[in-house]
Amino acid sequence: MPPVSLFQLFWMFFYIGLFTVGGGLVGLTLIQQTIVARGLITQAQFTSMVAISESTPGAIGINMATYIGFKFYGPFGGIVTTLGQVTPSIICILLIASLFTKFQEKPLVKAAFTTLRPATAGIILVATAQVFNLALLNIPADLSSLTVPAVWLNIFQWRSIPFYLLAVLLLFKTKIHPVLVVALGAVFGVLFL
């Protein structure tokens, strides 16, 4: 039996969708804090879900919601958690669209948008650092039992670094489409990790 009801999952993802300001990477932080911290999935499962959600078409937060709902309650669970994730955005868009033209020149509205930009950038930076940590670093939870040379030898996921460097080179120095790099990453992961 799943550890939470479908109703609870809906409201968890409603909360995540409500506070995901700035895009799907921000949602990853909230999903980790909400779903992993409650023990519904492990950190390893979360890492796998991030990789799958980034590799599949669509928004990463919605993909994660669908995946987790499907894991616990099958296709109907995927639909319910996806609705939980997108409902706050739909409500906000409808409200903002109906009010924005009326209030867009107000000083408070301009100030709110001015402060949202750096806050959102900071949240995205944290999420990016977490994805980087999941993908390339191998930092154990308890560092006290390791010697200094062992920590430095094992701090990186050495098999992933060459592909990471190749992916960065391909993206910045060639005109290869990012979808191809994602597909290559999936193949690399299946074959070598």
Side-chain angles (χ1 to χ4, degrees), residues 41-100:
I41 60 173
T42 65
Q43 185 63 40
Q45 289 172 320
F46 176 76
T47 305
S48 297
M49 288 180 182
V50 168
I52 291 168
S53 295
E54 284 185 333
S55 302
T56 53
I60 188 169
I62 295 171
N63 290 348
M64 290 282 289
T66 306
Y67 191 86
I68 291 170
F70 183 84
K71 176 183 175 4
F72 289 118
Y73 289 99
F76 185 67
I79 292 168
V80 169
T81 53
T82 301
L83 285 174
Q85 178 84 12
V86 301
T87 299
S89 298
I90 292 169
I91 293 168
C92 287
I93 288 168
L94 292 174
L95 286 172
I96 290 170
S98 66
L99 300 173
F100 188 69

Side-chain angles (χ1 to χ4, degrees), residues 2 7 27-28 41 46 61 68 91 98 115 123 137 157 175 178:
F7 182 75
L28 287 181
I41 60 173
F46 176 76
I68 291 170
I91 293 168
S98 66
T115 54
I123 293 170
L137 298 179
Q157 294 187 24
K175 294 184 181 196

Side-chain angles (χ1 to χ4, degrees), residues 3-63:
V4 292
S5 70
L6 190 55
F7 182 75
Q8 289 172 309
L9 267 181
F10 173 86
W11 287 109
M12 284 180 191
F13 280 99
F14 186 91
Y15 162 79
I16 291 165
L18 186 62
F19 292 102
T20 300
V21 178
L25 289 176
V26 175
L28 287 181
T29 304
L30 290 173
I31 290 170
Q32 188 174 29
Q33 291 172 348
T34 306
I35 306 298
V36 177
R38 291 183 186 207
L40 299 179
I41 60 173
T42 65
Q43 185 63 40
Q45 289 172 320
F46 176 76
T47 305
S48 297
M49 288 180 182
V50 168
I52 291 168
S53 295
E54 284 185 333
S55 302
T56 53
I60 188 169
I62 295 171
N63 290 348

Side-chain angles (χ1 to χ4, degrees), residues 114-189:
T114 301
T115 54
L116 274 175
R117 286 184 199 113
T120 302
I123 293 170
I124 291 171
L125 183 62
V126 168
T128 302
Q130 287 178 340
V131 170
F132 182 83
N133 184 32
L134 291 171
L136 296 176
L137 298 179
N138 188 27
I139 301 173
D142 182 21
L143 295 175
S144 63
S145 63
L146 296 174
T147 62
V148 173
V151 169
W152 288 109
L153 288 175
N154 296 321
I155 198 167
F156 295 105
Q157 294 187 24
W158 293 105
R159 289 185 284 178
S160 298
I161 290 176
F163 183 79
Y164 171 77
L165 295 173
L166 176 65
V168 169
L169 184 69
L170 287 172
L171 288 171
F172 286 107
K173 296 294 183 185
T174 69
K175 294 184 181 196
I176 190 169
H177 198 280
V179 171
L180 283 172
V181 177
V182 170
L184 288 171
V187 170
F188 175 81

